[in-house]
């Protein structure tokens, strides 16, 4: 009997009792390699002494002070750290408790920015199908995860959606990456013109699509072309790096690899690595100055924004990543992960695509490699893979509905940045065994 309202009440969960390095341990003493970082959260693994010490020190000094009365040194120091490393002129940081809150803040800031400028008609948002931006109503409204949205459609504000950048399935054989990017940019421009540029506030996109479609990196020039379209029509570009950011792709900010800076950027998961709940919105100087020089007040807020203990923990996480050169390891181990996966599973008839950046990798499963046809959704192959991987001592992050919310299965891998070459080899061995157990070749 449990009094916890678990997200899946019909399923009995094991108790996690200890975490160490890349592994979690349950109440029976079984070890599980955390190959997905939970949900791409635990980038430093579990039990990192530097982060724990920083949190304890902050608690001894000050756990929490409400942001309408005080700022704190932990909050100021973390904002300084992020602003100094962010792309473009993203130099003001708004701290919240997670990714959904960060997206909500971004949407509200975009709207208020245009109201302050006297462009009140700009209230519409465009995002992409098969994207995910959070589970609060505003974030869910702009998101393109059909399965998550469906029960709540009557509660959601209208939003507009264009095609994802899904090269494996949507790039034509006669197209270069640049031509495919141009076609997608043209689709966005047509959507803006259809709505009326004077009515559009922002285009929202995950820099690298995460859980909904199984790690879709943008093709070359895609984000640059999108940036050009937004600029041409005065539309803000909001990049969601809740899952892909904070080093997960091998760059502190994932969009840096594409040479693009958004107007607003949101981060969470890897920011605090799971040691404390935290997320953040970074705003450009132009947007910040508009608010400060206008009403002088951002009409938004949460009780735990700028939480001192969460900020102290997150700053310790980021300092460890920088001090230990872990982004180099992310890039090296990510290349190793995909290379080993291709060696182990590349010839498997049900493995369609292995893709990703850094330690952010997706494996998409199919019925037939030749025509990329999908497995029967009724089989719930992704759920079977999760169960079998757990039985084999491996945590992965699976999802169904990869293509359209109904069809397609994938597994997402996001191992900790501290993973060694031996850890990666063991992850691949356990995953390959799990795949063969569920889908015998």
């Amino acid at each position: 009997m449990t009094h916890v309202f678990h997200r899946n009440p019909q399923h009995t969960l094991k108790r996690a009792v200890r975490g160490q390095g890349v592994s979690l341990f349950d109440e029976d003493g079984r070890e599980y390699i955390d190959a997905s970082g939970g949900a791409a959260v635990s980038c430093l693994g579990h039990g990192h002494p530097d982060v724990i010490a920083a949190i304890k020190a902050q608690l001894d000094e000050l756990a929490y002070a409400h942001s309408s009365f005080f700022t704190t040194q932990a909050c100021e120091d973390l904002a300084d750290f992020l602003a100094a490393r962010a792309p473009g002129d993203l130099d003001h940081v708004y701290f919240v408790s997670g990714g959904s809150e960060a997206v909500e803040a971004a949407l509200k800031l975009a709207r208020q920015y245009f109201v302050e400028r006297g462009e009140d008609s700009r209230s519409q948002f465009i995002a992409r199908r098969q994207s995910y931006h959070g589970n609060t109503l505003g974030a869910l409204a702009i998101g393109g995860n059909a399965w998550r949205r469906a029960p709540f459609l009557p509660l959601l504000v209208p939003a507009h959606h264009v095609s994802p950048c899904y090269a494996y399935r949507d790039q034509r054989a006669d197209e270069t990456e640049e031509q495919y990017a141009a076609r997608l940019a043209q689709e966005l421009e047509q959507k803006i013109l259809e709505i009326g540029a004077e009515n559009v506030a922002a285009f929202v996109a995950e820099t690298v699509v995460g859980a909904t479609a199984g790690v879709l990196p943008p093709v070359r020039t895609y984000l640059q072309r999108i940036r050009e379209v937004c600029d041409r029509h005065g539309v803000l570009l909001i990049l969601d790096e809740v899952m892909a950011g904070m080093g997960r792709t091998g760059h502190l900010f994932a969009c840096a690899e594409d040479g693009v800076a958004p107007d607003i950027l949101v981060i969470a998961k890897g920011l605090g690595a799971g040691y404390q709940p935290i997320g953040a919105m970074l705003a450009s100087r132009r947007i910040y100055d508009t608010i400060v020089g206008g009403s002088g007040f951002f009409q938004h807020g949460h009780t735990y924004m700028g939480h001192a203990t969460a900020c102290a923990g997150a700053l310790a996480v980021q300092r460890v990543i920088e001090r230990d050169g872990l982004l180099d390891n992310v890039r090296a181990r990510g290349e190793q992960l995909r290379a080993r996966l291709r060696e182990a599973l590349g010839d498997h008839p049900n493995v369609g695509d292995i893709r990703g950046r850094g330690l952010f990798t997706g494996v998409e499963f199919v019925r037939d490699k030749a025509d990329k046809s999908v497995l029967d959704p009724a089989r719930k192959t992704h759920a079977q893979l999760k169960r079998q991987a757990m039985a084999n001592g491996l945590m992965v992050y699976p999802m169904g509905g990869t293509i359209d919310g109904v069809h397609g299965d994938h597994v997402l891998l996001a191992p900790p940045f501290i993973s060694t070459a031996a850890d990666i080899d063991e992850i691949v061995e356990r995953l390959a065994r799990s795949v063969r157990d569920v889908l015998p070749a």
Side-chain angles (χ1 to χ4, degrees), residues 82-147:
L82 294 171
R85 292 157 180 78
D89 65 345
L90 296 168
D91 61 1
H92 285 84
V93 189
Y94 188 92
F95 292 112
V96 290
S97 297
S100 295
E101 283 188 10
V103 171
E104 292 284 334
L107 300 178
K108 285 188 174 180
L109 181 61
R111 170 59 182 164
Q112 186 174 337
Y113 166 74
F114 284 115
V115 170
E116 302 260 355
R117 285 169 53 91
E119 298 181 62
D120 293 36
S121 64
R122 287 190 184 264
S123 61
Q124 303 296 303
F125 291 87
I126 305 172
R128 300 183 298 186
R129 295 186 294 277
Q130 289 308 96
S131 60
Y132 179 64
H133 299 293
N135 250 340
T136 50
L137 289 178
L140 198 61
I142 61 160
N145 185 310
W147 173 76

Side-chain angles (χ1 to χ4, degrees), residues 313-350:
L315 182 58
V317 168
Q318 298 309 315
R319 283 176 170 164
V320 168
I321 291 170
E322 188 165 271
R323 180 197 70 198
D324 295 350
L326 290 180
L327 297 188
D328 291 336
N329 193 58
V330 170
R331 291 189 289 270
R333 298 286 74 77
E335 290 298 324
Q336 176 195 354
L337 176 59
R338 285 180 290 281
R340 295 287 186 273
L341 284 169
R342 290 181 181 117
E343 291 171 7
L345 292 171
D347 293 332
H348 193 289
N350 300 119

Side-chain angles (χ1 to χ4, degrees), residues 4 7 24 34 58 85 94 111 134 148 169 185 196 203 218 234 264 279 282 302 306 325-326 344 369 374 384 413 435:
V4 176
R7 66 165 63 190
L24 286 170
D34 189 359
Q58 184 62 46
R85 292 157 180 78
Y94 188 92
R111 170 59 182 164
R148 290 184 188 270
R169 291 196 172 273
F203 176 63
I264 301 173
L282 285 74
H302 294 282
L326 290 180
K369 291 171 79 82
V374 300
Q384 293 184 53
L413 299 171
V435 170

Side-chain angles (χ1 to χ4, degrees), residues 166-178 180 183 219 372:
Y166 194 168
Y168 171 63
R169 291 196 172 273
D170 296 342
Q171 183 180 342
R172 297 195 303 255
D174 64 347
E175 280 182 316
T176 65
E177 287 192 358
E178 290 80 4
Y180 177 46
R183 176 161 63 88
V219 297
K372 304 179 185 178

Side-chain angles (χ1 to χ4, degrees), residues 172-225:
R172 297 195 303 255
D174 64 347
E175 280 182 316
T176 65
E177 287 192 358
E178 290 80 4
Q179 289 169 332
Y180 177 46
R183 176 161 63 88
L184 291 174
Q186 184 179 30
E187 180 187 350
L188 173 61
E189 187 154 38
Q190 289 173 340
K191 178 62 70 174
I192 291 172
L193 294 174
E194 172 191 317
I195 300 166
E198 71 281 4
N199 299 318
V200 180
F203 176 63
V204 188
E206 293 172 275
T207 304
V208 178
V209 176
T212 297
V215 189
L216 299 181
V219 297
R220 284 193 302 271
T221 73
Y222 169 75
L223 285 177
Q224 294 173 10
R225 299 299 297 269

Side-chain angles (χ1 to χ4, degrees), residues 147-308:
W147 173 76
R148 290 184 188 270
R149 285 165 50 87
F152 308 106
L153 284 174
L155 307 180
L156 304 181
V157 296
H160 307 271
H161 296 90
V162 293
S163 298
C165 186
Y166 194 168
Y168 171 63
R169 291 196 172 273
D170 296 342
Q171 183 180 342
R172 297 195 303 255
D174 64 347
E175 280 182 316
T176 65
E177 287 192 358
E178 290 80 4
Q179 289 169 332
Y180 177 46
R183 176 161 63 88
L184 291 174
Q186 184 179 30
E187 180 187 350
L188 173 61
E189 187 154 38
Q190 289 173 340
K191 178 62 70 174
I192 291 172
L193 294 174
E194 172 191 317
I195 300 166
E198 71 281 4
N199 299 318
V200 180
F203 176 63
V204 188
E206 293 172 275
T207 304
V208 178
V209 176
T212 297
V215 189
L216 299 181
V219 297
R220 284 193 302 271
T221 73
Y222 169 75
L223 285 177
Q224 294 173 10
R225 299 299 297 269
I226 292 298
R227 173 81 268 185
E228 291 168 2
V229 170
C230 290
D231 288 345
R232 192 153 52 242
H233 297 285
V235 172
L236 297 180
L237 175 60
I238 300 174
L239 289 183
D240 178 345
E241 297 196 355
V242 167
M243 187 171 267
M246 294 290 93
R248 176 55 58 190
T249 64
H251 297 263
L252 190 61
F253 296 95
C255 58
E257 185 170 347
D258 299 278
V260 169
D263 301 293
I264 301 173
L265 186 143
V266 293
I267 53 176
K269 299 182 184 290
L271 173 61
Y275 287 88
Q276 292 280 287
I278 189 168
M281 172 190 71
L282 285 74
S284 71
R285 188 176 306 117
R286 169 171 58 107
I287 293 175
Y288 177 81
D289 288 346
T290 298
I291 303 299
V292 173
S295 67
F297 180 72
F298 180 28
Q299 274 185 251
H300 186 57
H302 294 282
T303 298
Y304 293 115
M305 58 182 287
H307 194 282

